[in-house]
Amino acid sequence: METPIVSPKQQDLLKRIAQRGFEVGYAANLNFATHDIADKVPVVISFVSMAVGILALVAPVFQLTGVAVCLTLLGILTLYIEKYPAHEYGERGKRTMDMLHDLETLYYKVKNNADPNATFREEEDELSTLTIEFIASTNPRQILFATWYANFKFFAEKDYDWIDEQLHFRFWRDKVPANLKVLLVLALVAFVISAIVNWPVWLAWFR
């Protein structure tokens, strides 16, 4: 089977659709990540608090001040999480995922067009409409650590070959969240400084 010839205009449009697909797909998974955290973490905190309360009746160790402080902090964390209504983020994630499916359909529509004289005006208009719809539906307010979880959901749980076909994802550049990169670099710098300052102690420990 011969590989269809792709015009420069067609290739440019395919790449722009794939780029928009990545943005929309990541946003969908970001909303789902916030939904999962806001929906499940309070349940876990409630269960742990109840379990500790019951165990405190029979085991004095659970009556310690440190345990009470930890439970209080978990209660404060629950108040923070309640600011993110899980159902709203779930619904927004579903709507964004519908846009992603529309983009995938558009991508293959453009890719399978074998007309060398095609202008792709209709497809350009559809991409513009989906872009406007996506921008209008975005919500930058996401829960803590949602970006890390969204990265995992996008790259580990899902398979977007049509996006990767154009963008060629790489592990460090694309699959590791930016704030995690900063954290890893800072940890590495701290480790190197610690090793330099304390090298006699480390050397004696290995002897």
Side-chain angles (χ1 to χ4, degrees):
M1 183 177 179
E2 294 183 1
T3 303
I5 299 175
V6 179
S7 67
K9 182 177 181 61
Q10 188 175 8
Q11 181 59 48
D12 176 69
L13 182 55
L14 286 172
K15 190 164 186 177
R16 284 190 287 123
I17 295 172
Q19 181 62 48
R20 185 63 65 200
F22 170 66
E23 295 167 0
V24 171
Y26 183 81
N29 283 283
L30 189 58
N31 284 312
F32 284 134
T34 296
H35 167 269
D36 288 351
I37 295 173
D39 184 56
K40 297 173 183 177
V41 171
V43 176
V44 174
I45 292 176
S46 178
F47 173 78
V48 170
S49 299
M50 291 178 61
V52 171
I54 294 172
L55 291 171
L57 298 176
V58 295
V61 67
F62 290 99
Q63 300 174 8
L64 296 176
T65 303
V67 175
V69 170
C70 289
L71 291 178
T72 302
L73 292 175
L74 288 176
I76 295 173
L77 178 60
T78 301
L79 294 176
Y80 163 74
I81 293 174
E82 287 178 353
K83 296 179 180 179
Y84 300 85
H87 67 281
E88 291 185 11
Y89 286 91
E91 289 299 320
R92 186 178 288 109
K94 292 177 183 177
R95 291 196 301 270
T96 313
M97 192 60 72
D98 288 339
M99 297 179 205
L100 181 61
H101 292 155
D102 291 339
L103 284 167
E104 183 178 6
T105 300
L106 178 61
Y107 178 86
Y108 284 109
K109 180 181 177 182
V110 173
K111 182 180 179 180
N112 295 329
N113 191 327
D115 182 2
N117 299 315
T119 60
F120 299 105
R121 289 180 182 175
E122 181 182 335
E123 290 80 2
E124 290 273 9
D125 290 341
E126 187 173 350
L127 177 59
S128 297
T129 300
L130 287 170
T131 299
I132 293 171
E133 184 181 353
F134 168 63
I135 293 174
S137 67
T138 54
N139 181 10
R141 186 171 177 269
Q142 302 289 341
I143 203 167
L144 187 65
F145 299 119
T147 54
W148 293 15
Y149 189 23
N151 253 63
F152 172 78
K153 291 175 75 67
F154 187 90
F155 290 108
E157 294 185 350
K158 306 294 192 309
D159 187 10
Y160 301 115
D161 290 338
W162 64 277
I163 300 177
D164 188 46
E165 187 175 78
Q166 297 295 326
L167 303 185
H168 310 296
F169 295 126
R170 296 178 183 175
F171 179 77
W172 180 256
R173 185 191 67 186
D174 304 300
K175 299 183 180 183
V176 179
N179 47 8
L180 180 57
K181 291 177 186 176
V182 174
L183 184 63
L184 291 174
V185 170
L186 290 176
L188 179 61
V189 171
F191 175 80
V192 171
I193 293 174
S194 176
I196 294 173
V197 173
N198 301 297
W199 70 268
V201 178
W202 287 49
L203 186 62
W205 188 78
F206 280 107
R207 286 180 177 175

